[in-house]
Amino acid sequence: MAITSTDKYVKVAIPVPMRQLFTYKLPAKLNVNAIKLGERVIVPFGSRQVVAIVLAVDDDTEYAAEKIKSILSRVKDNFSFSAELLNFLQRCADYYHHPIGDVFQQALPVLLRQIKQPDVELPQIWLTKESLTDEEHTATQKRAPKQGELLTLLKQHQGMTWSELLTLGFNKAQLNALEKKQLIYSESRPVEVFSWQDSALQQDNRLELSAEQAIIVATIKEMQKQFSCHLVDGITGSGKTEVYLQAMEEVLAANKQVLVLVPEIGLTPQTLARFEQRFNVPICLHHSGLNDKERLQTWLEAQRGSAAIVIGTRSAIFTPLHDLGLIIVDEEHDGSFKQQDSFRYNARDIAILRARQLNIPIVLGSATPSFETLQNALTGRYHYHQLKKRAGNASTAKISLIDVAQQQMEHGLSGTLKQAIKNTLERGEQALVFLNRRGYAPAINCQECHWIADCQRCNKPYTLHQGQGLLICHHCGSQKRIPPQCPSCGSVRIKSLGQGTEQLEERIGELFSDFSTVRIDRDSTRKKGELAKLLQQVSDKEHQLLIGTQMLAKGHHFPDVTLVAVLDVDGALFSYDFRAAEHMAQLLVQVSGRAGRASKPGKVMVQSNFPDHPLLQDLVNNGYQHFAKQALIERQQAMLPPFSFQALFRADANYPSYPEKFLRALTEHSFDGCQFAGPVPAAMEKKAGKFRYHLILQAKSRKQLHQAVFQLIHHSANNEWQSKVRWSVDIDPVDLSW
């Protein structure tokens, strides 16, 4: 029975791993009548104080009033969640069965999660001086080419922020040098709602659409004021970005905002560059390469309505846009859109949810759509658009398979491939060598006693990083120095096993010493702005040989790359994960798409020990579309997603029996239309000292799945092993190896 009093009570979300709201008393001194839903307040929680989000205000409570603590203070700023964003985040928490306080925590910028509030400054923009002469511009270009490039950019786009310049590959030294020469200056960008001007569209860079592209743009524009989900399934280089740009024009002209999601920070510089060339409007960025203050600035500008376009990676979906009119998800198939720890959301899926809630269109673009998206398009749930031809005179690169068993190998390269690379370089063209394994070598061992340097916390070999002089575990991050001799037998005959991109760069540099080689992976692009800098060098043809991981595989436009070599795809052909073949095909097609994107024809050479494997043969001879449709038939026969729905329960503990017993207890419950698989050890059973087990719950319908998950979470509270394990639930898992 509720206890009524003159006090008011609020229910708040607190960032703790508990699936509930917490009730607090509202003291009269805090102006209780003015408190708003979505507002941030400071509350006592145990022995500490935390920032909480107000989700409900009540006149009474079911608890004894004298036992309820009071709110300490309200956060005195204007940064609260709108009703639309509150509803969206609550629905996300419900769908993913995740603690609601943590969901709101993830949606807030880091600086707004803290009790001490940040000093919020107006965004600084950089401009060229009004009296800048052609002579000064030319002189700068001659003396300092990079400063000249920066000056040209600022001259074309008056009013660029530091985060934009950083993303495009410039640094503070270049900016400071131009300021010291009094060629540029900075000023605060005024806080005003974005308003479209006729001069905002730069017509010179607008391309003429093909018939296929024009139909897609017209369809999206026709449905501008209602929810519609559009899949743009276009082969690599077919002009999907131009479709996005022209679809955005009418949205921006109506003074509405556009949110563009890209899977990785690596795609942000080129996306920003294309958008800057087309639109002279405020563009804000949100990605991990920016610091907390810069990301807060994007959040605030989006909320105030001064940002016209927001470009970001997956967490940008939570940006509080003032008047959102269109969402674009580029490379929608990419696994990077799925958060793999804590709040395990899929940014693509909740972007569709947000578009539906706001009644606006959303565009999903990919050359290799995920099977879930493709099935929705084939059954008519999404509008299905195809782009079957490359833009301009570019032709699709031909894929050929090399049987490495029939070749003499040197440094992981077959004789056929070495000759092809040599011919390409001698024609003055560029070659890309793809190996999805960073580091120097995946292991080291002793030639005498066969000892292998294993990470004791993961039972997996350390990866050798020769340049850093370290052995690094890519699973838990632990590091150690390279031992001078074997700790087991004392031998100094320690040798690396296998090959990573670092070693490949060294070996290829020796084989083709007359040409410049560049490596692009997570190790070589750690420094701020380094990725954009290296990509620009590739575009300027400073390097002829490109070596890299999947960072190079998608989205990048290298007009002079005519040969792509793929060194290792065999692992995915025999994987336990039913999605492995799908991911392999997507990666292979995406990296193949880097070849022959301009007028020069391109080719792709794939080395394999199993060139006759039916999956490879189908992909090479019939293309991704045929491969995907055949795989969907197999999925349907096996009743696997997207023809069923899954939730993955993960549990880990210091002892292997604990997580297994915890998950085993969950299988004692039965649900209509649902079945369990497991519990089984995870593909990598031990990680960071913890033993890990998986339990998959599969259901015929989404409703049955969520009802069962809800019941299992409830039952877990009474599970005798619950206090001995750390566990989580992952709705719609995409990678069973985590």
Side-chain angles (χ1 to χ4, degrees):
M1 179 178 169
I3 301 170
T4 306
S5 74
T6 55
D7 293 314
K8 279 188 178 287
Y9 303 91
V10 292
K11 290 183 178 178
V12 300
I14 294 176
V16 292
M18 300 171 73
R19 293 171 173 82
Q20 66 178 79
L21 299 178
F22 296 87
T23 301
Y24 284 85
K25 193 181 296 182
L26 259 177
K29 64 179 182 179
L30 294 182
N31 190 9
V32 296
N33 294 323
I35 201 152
K36 300 180 296 183
L37 300 187
E39 185 177 332
R40 290 162 26 256
V41 293
I42 297 171
V43 299
F45 190 80
S47 60
R48 60 196 175 107
Q49 297 178 6
V50 295
V51 174
I53 312 297
V54 176
L55 296 185
V57 181
D58 295 318
D59 291 326
D60 51 34
T61 177
E62 58 190 10
Y63 305 109
E66 64 275 6
K67 293 184 177 179
I68 298 177
K69 295 179 180 178
S70 294
I71 286 176
L72 299 174
S73 63
R74 297 167 64 186
V75 178
K76 296 177 181 177
D77 57 32
N78 297 317
F79 317 135
S80 59
F81 288 98
S82 64
E84 171 263 312
L85 203 53
L86 278 179
N87 180 261
F88 170 64
L89 292 171
Q90 287 173 307
R91 291 182 68 180
C92 289
D94 291 342
Y95 182 82
Y96 288 102
H97 298 271
H98 193 74
I100 191 165
D102 192 47
V103 172
F104 278 93
Q105 175 91 339
Q106 300 262 353
L108 269 177
V110 171
L111 294 179
L112 295 188
R113 302 173 194 172
Q114 302 168 0
I115 291 178
K116 183 182 178 183
Q117 291 307 296
D119 294 327
V120 179
E121 302 169 357
L122 290 175
Q124 295 293 304
I125 53 175
W126 293 88
L127 309 98
T128 57
K129 67 174 185 177
E130 292 180 11
S131 59
L132 180 69
T133 64
D134 292 340
E135 289 77 15
E136 288 175 316
H137 192 181
T138 306
T140 304
Q141 288 175 316
K142 285 182 179 178
R143 291 195 198 101
K146 198 65 181 177
Q147 289 179 30
E149 191 181 326
L150 175 54
L151 192 60
T152 301
L153 184 68
L154 291 175
K155 192 176 179 182
Q156 291 171 344
H157 306 282
Q158 291 284 355
M160 295 186 72
T161 63
W162 164 238
S163 59
E164 290 176 86
L165 297 173
L166 172 69
T167 302
L168 290 171
F170 298 99
N171 59 44
K172 282 283 189 185
Q174 293 151 1
L175 201 65
N176 293 339
L178 290 178
E179 186 181 29
K180 192 173 181 181
K181 295 173 186 174
Q182 297 185 337
L183 298 175
I184 64 172
Y185 66 98
S186 66
E187 64 179 34
S188 298
R189 180 152 72 192
V191 179
E192 55 187 29
V193 175
F194 158 69
S195 178
W196 177 262
Q197 307 293 328
D198 290 339
S199 59
L201 179 62
Q202 302 184 50
Q203 295 279 4
D204 293 346
N205 297 311
R206 200 170 187 266
L207 303 178
E208 190 169 334
L209 297 176
S210 66
E212 288 179 329
Q213 291 172 312
I215 291 170
I216 299 171
V217 172
T219 306
I220 296 169
K221 286 183 176 180
E222 189 180 324
M223 300 182 172
Q224 187 182 334
K225 296 181 180 178
Q226 65 187 70
F227 169 73
S228 55
C229 186
H230 302 263
L231 170 60
V232 180
D233 179 358
I235 63 170
T236 53
S238 59
K240 293 186 289 294
T241 305
E242 187 63 29
V243 170
Y244 305 156
L245 289 166
Q246 298 208 22
M248 290 164 61
E249 288 177 12
E250 201 163 312
V251 176
L252 294 170
N255 295 322
K256 291 184 175 291
Q257 298 166 299
V258 178
L259 174 62
V260 182
L261 298 181
V262 294
E264 292 181 2
I265 182 178
L267 294 181
T268 313
Q270 66 170 42
T271 305
L272 174 62
R274 287 289 300 273
F275 285 30
E276 292 276 10
Q277 289 166 8
R278 183 63 56 86
F279 299 113
N280 188 18
V281 298
I283 299 177
C284 289
L285 302 168
H286 179 102
H287 57 74
S288 59
L290 304 176
N291 61 36
D292 291 340
K293 199 169 183 180
E294 289 161 346
R295 276 180 281 184
L296 173 61
Q297 203 65 62
T298 292
W299 201 86
L300 297 178
E301 290 199 62
Q303 186 195 47
R304 293 164 177 162
S306 55
I309 302 169
V310 173
I311 304 171
T313 47
R314 70 174 166 253
S315 58
I317 187 58
F318 302 122
T319 308
L321 289 119
H322 173 76
D323 193 5
L324 186 56
L326 175 68
I327 301 175
I328 294 169
V329 183
D330 194 25
E331 309 291 356
E332 65 81 28
H333 68 277
D334 199 283
S336 300
F337 283 123
K338 175 73 172 180
Q339 173 84 8
Q340 294 290 6
D341 55 23
S342 185
F343 176 30
R344 292 181 166 91
Y345 64 93
N346 189 315
R348 177 201 64 207
D349 295 346
I350 62 176
I352 296 170
L353 171 67
R354 191 167 185 188
R356 184 186 295 277
Q357 181 182 324
L358 293 172
N359 213 26
I360 61 173
I362 179 170
V363 180
L364 311 177
S366 178
T368 53
S370 65
F371 287 3
E372 286 80 5
T373 299
L374 186 58
Q375 178 63 15
N376 280 327
L378 293 172
T379 54
R381 291 189 66 193
Y382 299 169
H383 298 272
Y384 190 21
H385 312 283
Q386 288 183 277
L387 293 171
K388 298 179 180 179
K389 295 179 181 177
R390 280 192 156 182
N393 300 319
S395 56
T396 307
K398 296 285 187 284
I399 302 178
S400 59
L401 298 170
I402 299 173
D403 186 351
V404 298
Q406 306 297 320
Q407 298 263 336
Q408 187 172 354
M409 305 294 289
E410 184 179 6
H411 306 316
L413 304 177
S414 62
T416 302
L417 184 54
K418 281 191 295 181
Q419 188 59 48
I421 293 174
K422 182 181 178 184
N423 294 341
T424 301
L425 298 177
E426 287 176 347
R427 288 196 302 270
E429 297 164 357
Q430 293 170 307
L432 187 158
V433 183
F434 175 80
L435 177 63
N436 207 20
R437 191 186 303 121
R438 65 190 177 92
Y440 190 85
I444 63 168
N445 85 326
C446 173
Q447 299 293 289
E448 298 283 352
C449 70
H450 307 296
W451 164 85
I452 292 179
D454 278 341
C455 171
Q456 298 304 305
R457 302 176 71 219
C458 300
N459 290 348
K460 291 289 183 182
Y462 278 106
T463 298
L464 171 62
H465 287 254
Q466 190 82 44
Q468 297 172 260
L470 292 173
L471 296 175
I472 301 175
C473 176
H474 285 185
H475 305 289
C476 70
S478 66
Q479 302 179 0
K480 61 188 295 185
R481 289 287 173 191
I482 302 170
Q485 59 189 69
C486 173
S488 178
C489 70
S491 171
V492 294
R493 292 181 60 203
I494 294 177
K495 187 179 178 183
S496 62
L497 295 174
Q499 187 177 44
T501 50
E502 189 182 339
Q503 184 179 165
L504 184 62
E505 178 188 29
E506 180 184 294
R507 302 292 187 233
I508 283 185
E510 294 169 359
L511 286 172
F512 304 99
S513 56
D514 293 338
F515 301 94
S516 177
T517 303
V518 65
R519 170 169 55 96
I520 298 180
D521 58 21
R522 205 188 311 167
D523 297 320
S524 66
T525 57
R526 287 187 188 280
K527 288 197 299 186
K528 267 192 172 187
E530 191 68 19
L531 176 59
K533 174 183 165 186
L534 292 178
L535 292 175
Q536 187 59 50
Q537 289 175 358
V538 172
S539 296
D540 295 341
K541 295 196 71 174
E542 292 181 32
H543 307 289
Q544 291 74 49
L545 266 165
L546 290 65
I547 296 165
T549 58
Q550 62 183 6
M551 285 181 74
L552 275 180
K554 45 212 164 187
H556 302 295
H557 179 68
F558 304 128
D560 285 295
V561 170
T562 58
L563 173 66
V564 168
V566 183
L567 299 194
D568 185 12
V569 296
D570 293 341
L573 300 176
F574 304 99
S575 173
Y576 68 92
D577 188 348
F578 69 90
R579 283 192 173 88
E582 175 189 357
H583 296 159
M584 179 272 293
Q586 289 167 342
L587 191 58
L588 186 55
V589 171
Q590 290 287 337
V591 74
S592 300
R594 299 318 105 208
R597 292 176 68 92
S599 55
K600 301 171 186 174
K603 62 179 177 179
V604 181
M605 306 181 82
V606 181
Q607 292 188 164
S608 174
N609 286 290
F610 309 96
D612 296 327
H613 194 287
L615 289 179
L616 281 177
Q617 287 293 324
D618 186 18
L619 187 63
V620 170
N621 296 318
N622 303 316
Y624 183 80
Q625 279 287 329
H626 186 272
F627 169 88
K629 287 175 182 176
Q630 288 300 115
L632 280 170
I633 293 171
E634 293 175 7
R635 293 265 189 102
Q636 188 171 22
Q637 291 169 344
M639 280 307 294
L640 289 169
F643 302 97
S644 63
F645 304 91
Q646 290 184 340
L648 174 61
F649 285 83
R650 293 180 171 89
D652 63 56
N654 293 325
Y655 300 96
S657 61
Y658 290 177
E660 196 271 342
K661 288 175 179 175
F662 169 77
L663 294 176
R664 181 75 61 193
L666 295 183
T667 64
E668 295 171 1
H669 306 280
S670 60
F671 306 94
D672 290 340
C674 299
Q675 58 185 19
F676 290 105
V680 295
M684 183 178 167
E685 185 177 359
K686 189 180 180 186
K687 181 178 179 181
K690 302 286 186 182
F691 292 90
R692 313 185 312 150
Y693 273 71
H694 287 177
L695 173 66
I696 294 176
L697 175 66
Q698 184 165 301
K700 294 178 182 177
S701 75
R702 207 181 291 276
K703 184 177 179 181
Q704 289 173 322
L705 179 77
H706 284 279
Q707 288 174 341
V709 170
F710 181 82
Q711 290 294 323
L712 288 172
I713 290 172
H714 176 72
H715 291 311
S716 69
N718 301 318
N719 189 318
E720 62 177 307
W721 299 98
Q722 187 259 348
S723 62
K724 295 181 173 65
V725 302
R726 182 178 60 184
W727 67 276
S728 64
V729 61
D730 184 357
I731 305 296
D732 305 328
V734 297
D735 189 344
L736 302 181
S737 66
W738 284 78

